[in-house]
């Protein structure tokens, strides 16, 4: 059974069963889609969905596994014509108090390699699934989208 959120994308750990996985299927409201378009400077974003589950790993740890799907249009940096990107991305995150140690610089001696786990996030009582979508799209979408065949002209 999926928890389907149309208006509120907040999941509060204190409000879900602590002993079994919590399935979700997030479909964004038109308002949330408009906010994403503005924040990411897109022409449009359609068919946005985040489907997955949160599983308890221990008393204070949760695992999120999800699939993000979306169809995104950005402006070509050369021609300003629409560039379409189809997103189908697997997301794995762990929410844990150990995330605070993950960002600590106390053990950094300047010589040894520093290992940073970007799937580890601080455990708060709630997570906003819309923010996870925003973060993932920020990482996935091309910074300089270019339509096939577009080339810069020469200035002489």
């Amino acid at each position: 059974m999926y928890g389907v959120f149309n208006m509120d994308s907040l999941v509060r750990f204190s409000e879900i069963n602590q002993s079994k996985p919590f399935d979700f299927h997030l479909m964004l409201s038109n308002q949330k889609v408009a906010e994403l378009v503005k924040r990411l400077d897109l022409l449009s974003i359609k068919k946005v969905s985040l489907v997955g589950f949160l599983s308890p790993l221990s008393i204070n740890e949760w695992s999120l596994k999800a699939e993000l799907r979306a169809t995104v249009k950005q402006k070509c940096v050369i021609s300003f014509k629409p560039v379409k990107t189809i997103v189908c991305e697997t997301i794995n995150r762990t929410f844990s108090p150990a995330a605070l140690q993950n960002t600590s610089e106390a053990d950094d001696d300047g010589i040894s390699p520093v290992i940073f786990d970007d799937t580890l996030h601080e455990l708060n009582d709630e997570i906003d699934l819309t923010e996870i979508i925003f973060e993932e799209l920020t990482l996935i979408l091309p910074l300089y989208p270019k339509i096939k065949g577009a080339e810069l002209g020469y200035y002489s």
Side-chain angles (χ1 to χ4, degrees), residues 30-149:
N30 290 339
Q31 178 185 351
K32 293 281 187 184
V33 169
E35 289 171 15
L36 275 179
V37 166
K38 185 175 180 180
R39 288 176 69 189
L40 293 166
D41 192 25
L42 305 173
L43 293 174
S44 69
I45 185 168
K46 295 181 180 178
K47 303 177 189 170
V48 184
S49 71
L50 185 66
V51 179
F53 58 92
L54 283 158
S55 298
L57 298 174
S58 68
I59 292 174
N60 289 324
E61 282 192 321
W62 286 82
S63 169
L64 178 137
K65 295 189 185 306
E67 184 172 88
L68 170 61
R69 291 182 177 259
T71 302
V72 178
K73 285 190 181 173
Q74 298 171 277
K75 279 187 222 168
C76 172
V77 294
I78 297 170
S79 68
F80 299 111
K81 292 181 180 177
V83 177
K84 182 172 153 182
T85 302
I86 296 176
V87 174
C88 183
E89 189 73 18
T90 301
I91 301 169
N92 292 302
R93 294 195 180 181
T94 301
F95 296 91
S96 169
L100 294 174
Q101 298 166 356
N102 192 41
T103 58
S104 172
E105 295 181 22
D107 297 337
D108 185 6
D109 59 9
I111 300 169
S112 304
V114 176
I115 299 170
F116 179 76
D117 183 355
D118 62 350
T119 65
L120 189 60
H121 295 269
E122 184 179 352
L123 177 69
N124 296 315
D125 180 48
E126 63 185 27
I127 58 170
D128 187 344
L129 297 175
T130 303
E131 280 305 305
I132 290 174
I133 292 172
F134 171 75
E135 292 166 8
E136 290 296 323
L137 289 174
T138 300
L139 295 171
I140 295 165
L141 293 176
L143 288 176
Y144 305 104
K146 188 175 106 175
I147 198 163
K148 189 174 182 173

